[in-house]
Amino acid sequence: MARTDVIVLGAGIVGTAVALHLVKRGLSVALVDRTAVGEGTSYGNAGIIEGNTIFPPSFPSDFSTLIRIALKRSPLANYHLRFLPQIAPWLAAFRAASQPTRLVETMQAMRPLFARAIGEHDALVEECSAAHYLRRTGWLKLYRSDRGFAAAARELDLAKSFGIANVALDSEAARALEPSLQPVFRHAVHWTGAVSVTDPLALTRAYAARFTALGGLIVTGDARMLHRVNPHWRVDTASGPLDAPDVVVALGPWLPDLFGLLGIKLPFAVKRGYHRHFRPQGNASLARPVLDAENGYCLAPMDQGIRITTGAEFAARDAAPTPVQFDCVMPAARELFALAEAVEAQPWLGARPCFPDSRPVIGRAPRQSGLWLACGHAHWGLTLGPATGRLLAEMITGTTPFCDPKPYAAERFLQ
Ligand SMILES: Cc1cc2nc3c(=O)[nH]c(=O)nc-3n(C[C@H](O)[C@H](O)[C@H](O)COP(=O)(O)OP(=O)(O)OC[C@H]3O[C@@H](n4cnc5c(N)ncnc54)[C@H](O)[C@@H]3O)c2cc1C
């Protein structure tokens, strides 16, 4: 039987960053996953480190968008009809959290984490010799209509008040940055300070390599084997039983698999999302990710090709893939950028782990000593992994946390 100070369950970007921050503070740490590092949700994102985020995606407030989604005519969201009764309470809570005053509260609660997001990645890539995976060209949000651009005005005003750099551009100025884009849009916003990743899997692997270089253990095991052997926690792994006084649960969309064991139930759901890589035609290229805001997809240049990512799909996590949003977005994507053939036969499916208030849970698990949670990072797990790692490592080691962790406590759902 092996013993460590901390066991981290889940080697996505969040768990890996937590494990690395803990080992950097001198603790012995085992990072447990049933598959290889970084191959869950963290493999498939759009690669944007969005320190600029102001408002989270919200429940549609206008009737026409809602009707289009209900009729499955919007690329912004898809749903499985049979799943709706199951997710209805979560959607109701998400809708409540989408009221304008609640969105401002969320923005204020999340700002300390977002403000730290890029700096924490910078510090880690420096020590991991992984800076070449980061592209410092910002990202572009495109608006095809004046109405769509006007809807972003509040976000831009708030960004200004927080000193978050952005430049509003017309189509011609945006095409000076990205000459391969076709002039099918009227407005763009260049978020100049954002950073993007050319290969999210390679970045997580680089953080994991640094973790092992500092003495951390990566172990194959099933988190559902976690149990108490007083006064410790134990996980039965492929290398035998592993004990520790502290355990961090960083299972991304698989968090509910431990709810029974944790003795808690949190309002958790997944927003599924797909990606597929395409080769560019001829010399067409992109220097940064591009979001076609009103069409709900992102074109993200990756080492593997141009990665097209889709919006939310509300369906059971493990239900069979239904990548119908691609049928919706591909004509718009091909109109915007010269895409050649797809790289893979089928799209990849992932699941964004989400709480209805769009905040993660970072901190102690209620009513369980030595159990910590780092989960629910929704659209920003890549962005916030390292900042989460620092915050949780500071909490576990009893040092002053860089920001107040209260807004991320699980207790907010248990009152
Ligand atoms: C299409 C799409 C686009 C996105 N774009 C962005 C973006 O541009 N920027 C951004 O910041 N975020 C983005 N995200 C969100 C981001 O990818 C997620 O928030 C993030 O990957 C979550 O990381 P995680 O470590 O919590 O979960 P995961 O990466 O899913 O890691 C969880 C780990 O737990 C392991 N696991 C599960 N069950 C068990 C078990 N029983 N035993 C042991 N191990 C287990 C899994 O194997 C996995 O490795 C996007 C997501 C999607 C789907």
Side-chain angles (χ1 to χ4, degrees):
M1 185 263 298
R3 247 181 91 174
T4 57
D5 294 325
V6 186
I7 297 169
V8 179
L9 300 173
I13 184 67
V14 174
T16 303
V18 170
L20 177 51
H21 269 285
L22 287 166
V23 90
K24 271 155 62 77
R25 285 163 179 75
L27 275 68
S28 61
V29 182
L31 179 57
V32 176
D33 203 294
R34 60 183 172 190
T35 60
V37 166
E39 293 188 356
T41 325
S42 301
Y43 162 72
N45 52 59
I48 307 164
I49 300 177
E50 287 184 56
N52 58 280
T53 297
I54 298 286
F55 291 128
S58 54
F59 195 92
S61 56
D62 63 307
F63 194 60
S64 65
T65 305
L66 209 51
I67 289 291
R68 284 184 66 218
I69 293 173
L71 296 173
K72 294 190 176 253
R73 291 202 186 130
S74 167
L76 299 179
N78 185 40
Y79 62 91
H80 290 186
L81 187 59
R82 266 189 295 178
F83 185 62
L84 286 186
Q86 215 173 310
I87 200 176
W90 188 95
L91 283 175
F94 180 50
R95 183 166 182 260
S98 297
Q99 301 307 311
T101 50
R102 294 280 308 278
L103 286 178
V104 171
E105 278 170 36
T106 304
M107 184 262 293
Q108 285 162 343
M110 291 299 290
R111 194 76 312 261
L113 282 185
F114 282 121
R116 199 68 179 234
I118 294 174
E120 293 301 330
H121 271 286
D122 281 344
L124 292 189
V125 294
E126 169 89 359
E127 65 178 272
C128 299
S129 305
H132 54 284
Y133 294 121
L134 301 193
R135 212 172 12 211
R136 296 175 191 282
T137 47
W139 70 306
L140 269 181
K141 287 192 189 181
L142 308 185
Y143 301 88
R144 296 199 183 212
S145 72
D146 294 340
R147 192 163 164 257
F149 181 57
R154 188 152 167 259
E155 187 188 16
L156 295 180
D157 279 351
L158 279 164
K160 207 167 279 171
S161 70
F162 284 109
I164 302 170
N166 65 79
V167 185
L169 305 168
D170 60 16
S171 162
E172 203 178 319
R175 292 180 66 237
L177 286 176
E178 294 288 2
S180 298
L181 293 179
Q182 296 304 308
V184 293
F185 58 96
R186 287 179 59 78
H187 305 275
V189 176
H190 183 199
W191 294 90
T192 51
V195 169
S196 61
V197 175
T198 57
D199 186 338
L201 174 60
L203 186 71
T204 308
R205 283 181 176 162
Y207 292 171
R210 176 71 180 152
F211 165 72
T212 50
L214 292 174
L217 287 176
I218 297 182
V219 181
T220 303
D222 188 335
R224 291 169 297 183
M225 297 294 118
L226 179 70
H227 58 284
R228 255 218 187 277
V229 178
N230 273 328
H232 293 301
W233 290 98
R234 175 170 294 173
V235 190
D236 297 316
T237 73
S239 324
L242 188 60
D243 280 17
D246 287 287
V247 173
V248 176
V249 179
L251 292 173
W254 292 275
L255 170 69
D257 295 359
L258 255 60
F259 276 163
L261 188 137
L262 300 179
I264 47 167
K265 198 166 182 322
L266 297 170
F268 183 87
V270 297
K271 293 183 192 169
R272 304 202 316 175
Y274 300 84
H275 86 218
R276 196 171 188 186
H277 297 102
F278 290 81
R279 294 197 174 86
Q281 277 180 33
N283 293 329
S285 66
L286 288 174
R288 54 185 63 74
V290 173
L291 176 80
D292 188 349
E294 289 145 288
N295 286 302
Y297 69 90
C298 190
L299 294 174
M302 295 279 171
D303 291 344
Q304 292 149 288
I306 301 290
R307 181 178 284 188
I308 299 192
T309 61
T310 62
E313 182 178 66
F314 295 99
R317 182 191 67 199
D318 300 328
T322 49
V324 293
Q325 281 157 296
F326 272 103
D327 301 339
C328 240
V329 305
M330 283 317 292
R334 289 192 185 283
E335 187 185 49
L336 179 64
F337 182 86
L339 295 163
E341 73 282 4
V343 173
E344 306 92 354
Q346 295 297 330
W348 169 89
L349 168 62
R352 303 171 183 93
C354 301
F355 292 105
D357 59 3
S358 299
R359 291 186 230 158
V361 167
I362 305 169
R364 285 184 182 281
R367 299 190 285 272
Q368 295 276 9
S369 69
L371 200 64
W372 305 82
L373 302 174
C375 45
H377 288 73
H379 299 255
W380 311 280
L382 172 70
T383 301
L384 298 177
T388 299
R390 171 178 285 274
L391 182 61
L392 198 62
E394 287 168 347
M395 293 169 80
I396 292 173
T397 55
T399 47
T400 308
F402 75 82
C403 70
D404 179 5
K406 198 155 170 255
Y408 323 121
E411 277 77 8
R412 69 187 191 269
F413 297 119
L414 305 176
Q415 286 144 12

